[in-house]
Each structure stands twice: as structure tokens, then as C-alpha cells.
Amino acid sequence: MLANITVDKKAVRNKSFTYRVPNNLKPLVGSLVLVPFHGQRVTGIINSVQKDGPTRFKIKKIESIIYPQALLGQNQIKLASIISKKYFAPLASVIFAMLPQYLRRIKKPVIPAPCVIPAKAGIHGVNSSRNLYMDSVSQHGMTSKNYLLFDPQNKYTLKIYQKAMKKTLGRGQNILLLVPDLGLELVQQIKLLSKKSLILDKKNLTNKEFFLKWQAIRKGKFDLIVGSHLALFAPLENLGLMIVHEERNQFYKNEQSPKYHLREVAIELARLNKSNLILQAQIPSLESYLMLKKKKIELIPYKKIDAPLGLKKIKLVDLKNERGLLSLLSLKTIKNNLKKKKKTLLFLNRKGFSRLLICQECGYSKHLSSTESAPAVCFDCSGTNLREHSFGTRRLEYEIKKLFPKAKVLRLDKENESFLNLKSKILNHDIIIATSYIFKYNLTF
């Protein structure tokens, strides 16, 4: 028997290698094994197995099975391949990011404890939410679909989650709730829905303790997992519902290798598991709005929402035709708001004096680091008419105070965290400049 194995070496990029399985070993797809590799002994994950056949080359043998039970399921291995191709990340980097760090240091065989699946626990604390779901969903339950939950003031989100989770748990399926911040009040409220719920947080846990939690998930001891990037790769079987809370939150962009966007990976994971997916947002991302327009995702309608997405008219301005930091339309709107004693919120998700490069010929834009040199030609159209802007919240605050010296300006970002009496501060200011940090607070203007 032959096994296709991804070894724990980032340098091999997207390659996997074939090894012969000794007759005395019986590995499974997803097992962790020890193999010889360029004079070293390295760990690897079995992606697939096949019958032995004639080969032109001598094939090395697997030395030992470190962990015989499947650590990753078929869908997780498929997901790793998708992430690798989509984000140009080494396959080994993705696969081993899915595993607890504790496993990467083990070189000797481990005898795992027997896999015991406990009886299904009861469900409690679920309130009804009439008229919050589509009739078809209420009557027949969700059937492997993607949904967008647009809730501008978070009035209905908890009730909809409770209803969807109750149906899923009632069918004996598992749930994964992804959140940007485990400190949200919502997390503790959701945890009460099942006696087998788990908030997956590596904080204050050793690598071994985290592995034991991860192992308990794989054994089926939990049916409701709440977490973020770590929870995305939790070894949940029979996944029936995934929820991405605040789907446009910047925290979902994983900046470490392998780099990916949690929302996009969650969509692929739901597809592979044929599970339902809810993307929740107070303000949907452009990606989710586009999916809605293309009918790749359904809107969960409920009372109080008017027209498509309940939004007022949106105007887009092409900055390559503008000279200043803000468009003429923006300046005119701010000026009118000041005259009418209305407030203005300027949302810019770049703190400090971030650098932005804009091609005046094609509109291509790129954020530059503080040490990065501006290119001579555009990466997209090869044009030479490039303009650099310092475009962070601090720079915007500086410009706004120059343009509107009599206006009271308040900057809200992670560099300026003095948020005591925040609502009263907002009431006393005319122009508020904020990053996504403001969405941690349920504020109205």
C-alpha cells in the first residue's frame, strides 16, 4: 500500500510525497506519521492511500505512526488544498496550522485514549423568534444554504442564532460560531444553549492542555464550539451550522502564515461539509453584498428592514479624479452637516499616517509600509502617473482640523483608547473619525 504524505517542511511548497506503508502498519487518512526526508526524520500527514503498484523508483517506507487515529478529516485536507491554492500558501504550512502545536514536537508513537462519544445532552435557554426567519426556513429547516443576516443595530441577531442553533442541535448536528472577540456578551449567551458547548481559547492553556481540548472535540464531546481562527479548524464531525459573527471585521484577516480571510475559508468549509452558513453583519462587506446580488447567498428578512438591505442611497467616488485627501463631495457633505448641526462619521480603517499609493491612470491602489519604497510604475497597467497619499486616521484628523477649524473633531482608534463616557463625547463633537475599533461598541449617531 502507498500513502501520499505532506511533510512538515514549508520549503517544499505545494508538493506531497509518496511513501510505502509497511505491512505491520495500518494508518488512516489524516494520521500523523514519521518519515525519512532528505537525511532527516520529519513528521507528515497522510492525505490519501492507494494500492501498491509497479514503480520506476525506489520508494522509502514510513518509519512509524505517531498518532494512528485520523487527526484531520477528508474535508479538512480538501480545505487545506483550497487555501493553499487560493492564497498561494505552502500546503504543509496550511495543513500543520490546522493541528495543535503540541503535535509538531512529538516524534514517538502515541497511544490515544479510546474514542467515547457521550450521549446527546439536552438543550435549554432557547427563545422563540417568530417572523425572524423566512417561512420556508421556519417550516422545513435550513438545507445547506448560505445566508446573510443584516442587522444594523444587532436587535435580532441573538434570537435568530438561537432559532437556527436549536434546529441544528435538534437534528443531532454540530455548530461552529466564529466571533472576532471572545469577550463579547453574545458568547456567554450562546454558550448556554448546550451543555456540551465549548469556548475554544488558547489563552492561559499550555500546548498540551489545548491539545486535550482539541482531542475532546474530535471525540465528539462537544456539539457547539465558539471561537475564532483556532476554532475554524476544529475537528468537528457532522457540522450542520456555521456562523460568522460580524463577517466584515478586520480581525478575520489572518496576517500570519498561512494568510487567509476567515470568512472566505468558512464559506469553503460550509460547502465541503454541506452545512448551513450564516454571515452576520451590521454593515455587510462588499463581498457579501455581491454574493447577494448574484444570488449565491440569501438574505434573512425580518420586520423593520426596508428595501434592499435597508440602506439609504450610497454614492461611490473615484479618487483618481480627486486632488485632495477627501473628495469634493465628502467636503461638501461635511460642510452641510455642520451648517445643519448634524454629525459626520468618517470611517477609515487605517490608523496613524498610513501610506496609500494610487495610480491616476487605472485607479489601482496599494497600501505601503513605512519602510516600503514607492514603485516607479503601476503594478496593474504599468503606467507612471502614480500619486502617494498619507492616509491614516491621524493624518485625516490633521487635515479635517485644518479644513474645519471651528468643528469639534474626535478620533477613535486603537491609538486613542480613552473611551470613557464615549457616548457623551460623541454628543459633544461634530466630526468623528474612526477605525473598525468603533464596532466593538454598539453606538448610534
Side-chain angles (χ1 to χ4, degrees):
M1 187 164 62
L2 301 177
N4 180 270
I5 296 174
T6 297
V7 296
D8 191 7
K9 286 286 182 182
K10 294 180 183 178
V12 299
R13 298 298 296 173
N14 296 329
K15 292 181 181 179
S16 295
F17 300 88
T18 300
Y19 288 84
R20 179 164 278 110
V21 181
N23 294 331
N24 63 321
L25 299 181
K26 294 182 180 179
L28 299 172
V29 172
S31 294
L32 187 69
V33 295
L34 190 67
V35 295
F37 186 79
H38 291 300
Q40 296 178 302
R41 298 163 73 239
V42 300
T43 55
I45 286 287
I46 296 180
N47 300 327
S48 62
V49 293
Q50 63 189 62
K51 290 182 179 179
D52 203 344
T55 57
R56 292 185 297 169
F57 307 101
K58 184 179 178 181
I59 300 177
K60 294 179 181 180
K61 292 182 180 181
I62 295 174
E63 287 194 8
S64 62
I65 300 176
I66 297 175
Y67 204 92
Q69 295 179 358
L71 294 170
L72 297 177
Q74 288 277 14
N75 284 340
Q76 286 178 298
I77 291 172
K78 289 178 183 177
L79 181 66
S81 180
I82 291 170
I83 295 172
S84 174
K85 291 175 183 176
K86 183 171 183 176
Y87 295 98
F88 301 99
L91 182 59
S93 172
V94 181
I95 282 183
F96 283 90
M98 291 179 168
L99 297 174
Q101 286 291 320
Y102 177 73
L103 288 169
R104 301 187 72 165
R105 295 198 302 271
I106 299 176
K107 300 295 182 183
K108 296 180 180 180
V110 175
I111 301 175
C115 181
V116 179
I117 310 268
K120 185 169 65 176
I123 304 164
H124 58 91
V126 180
N127 299 319
S128 62
S129 53
R130 188 176 298 173
N131 296 325
L132 298 182
Y133 259 137
M134 293 170 281
D135 291 339
S136 60
V137 174
S138 294
Q139 293 171 8
H140 307 296
M142 297 189 297
T143 54
S144 303
K145 291 184 178 180
N146 294 340
Y147 296 89
L148 176 63
L149 171 55
F150 171 56
D151 189 2
Q153 296 181 341
N154 276 338
K155 286 185 177 180
Y156 305 98
T157 290
L158 179 60
K159 289 182 179 180
I160 290 177
Y161 286 179
Q162 288 172 331
K163 187 175 181 68
M165 289 179 174
K166 180 181 179 181
K167 285 180 176 290
T168 304
L169 294 172
R171 292 194 295 265
Q173 294 180 299
N174 295 325
I175 299 166
L176 178 59
L177 170 63
L178 300 167
V179 295
D181 182 0
L182 289 173
L184 293 172
E185 184 181 348
L186 172 84
V187 170
Q188 295 301 326
Q189 293 170 317
I190 291 297
K191 190 177 186 297
L192 297 175
L193 290 177
S194 173
K195 292 178 181 177
K196 296 198 302 176
S197 61
L198 171 68
I199 299 175
L200 191 60
D201 187 4
K202 199 174 184 303
K203 199 175 182 181
N204 300 324
L205 293 178
T206 65
N207 284 337
K208 186 174 182 179
E209 288 170 338
F210 179 77
F211 170 64
L212 293 175
K213 293 276 188 187
W214 188 89
Q215 191 180 38
I217 296 171
R218 186 182 57 78
K219 291 179 179 180
K221 292 186 177 181
F222 301 101
D223 56 14
L224 170 56
I225 306 297
V226 183
S228 189
H229 292 278
L230 289 172
L232 180 62
F233 301 126
L236 272 173
E237 297 293 331
N238 194 21
L239 186 61
L241 173 65
M242 289 182 64
I243 297 174
V244 181
H245 185 67
E246 297 180 10
E247 56 93 14
R248 71 187 297 275
N249 195 292
Q250 291 296 311
F251 179 76
Y252 288 142
K253 288 184 178 179
N254 192 49
E255 299 294 347
Q256 298 178 342
S257 180
K259 295 182 179 181
Y260 60 85
H261 196 295
L262 182 143
R263 177 189 60 239
E264 304 305 318
V265 175
I267 291 171
E268 293 293 342
L269 184 59
R271 180 183 63 80
L272 290 170
N273 284 277
K274 297 180 180 179
S275 58
N276 301 301
L277 173 69
I278 296 176
L279 302 177
Q280 186 272 357
Q282 289 180 273
I283 304 174
S285 64
L286 290 175
E287 291 86 351
S288 295
Y289 180 70
L290 183 60
M291 284 193 292
L292 187 68
K293 297 288 284 184
K294 290 183 175 180
K295 298 185 178 179
K296 292 182 178 180
I297 190 169
E298 294 184 23
L299 182 68
I300 298 179
Y302 49 86
K303 292 181 180 179
K304 308 289 185 186
I305 283 191
D306 310 310
L309 287 185
L311 297 173
K312 294 184 178 180
K313 190 173 181 180
I314 297 174
K315 293 182 180 179
L316 297 178
V317 178
D318 190 346
L319 283 178
K320 77 174 187 286
N321 298 321
E322 301 286 338
R323 289 290 176 184
L325 195 63
L326 291 172
S327 67
L328 292 175
L329 178 60
S330 297
L331 294 174
K332 182 180 178 181
T333 304
I334 295 171
K335 190 175 181 180
N336 287 337
N337 283 349
L338 291 171
K339 282 183 180 179
K340 296 177 182 178
K341 295 187 177 180
K342 290 184 177 181
K343 298 189 183 303
T344 300
L345 171 63
L346 297 175
F347 176 75
L348 175 60
N349 209 30
R350 290 277 169 177
K351 63 183 181 180
F353 284 84
S354 297
R355 300 165 64 206
L356 179 68
L357 187 73
I358 299 177
C359 176
Q360 303 302 300
E361 296 178 29
C362 72
Y364 173 83
S365 63
K366 174 181 171 59
H367 286 283
L368 302 174
S369 68
S370 57
T371 57
E372 190 175 1
S373 299
V377 297
C378 174
F379 292 115
D380 200 31
C381 72
S382 299
T384 57
N385 190 8
L386 302 174
R387 182 177 299 159
E388 185 179 331
H389 301 265
S390 292
F391 207 4
T393 49
R394 287 175 61 192
R395 170 66 191 276
L396 182 58
E397 179 186 29
Y398 173 77
E399 292 293 333
I400 287 294
K401 285 182 175 179
K402 276 205 315 181
L403 291 167
F404 305 102
K406 293 183 179 180
K408 294 181 180 178
V409 182
L410 176 66
R411 174 169 56 88
L412 301 176
D413 57 29
K414 207 165 186 178
E415 292 182 351
N416 183 24
E417 294 186 77
S418 56
F419 285 175
L420 292 175
N421 303 317
L422 185 56
K423 288 188 177 180
S424 62
K425 283 185 179 180
I426 289 173
L427 287 173
N428 293 325
H429 287 81
D430 306 308
I431 302 171
I432 296 92
I433 300 169
T435 64
S436 60
Y437 206 68
I438 197 173
F439 296 128
K440 288 184 68 174
Y441 303 88
N442 190 17
L443 299 171
T444 55
F445 293 88

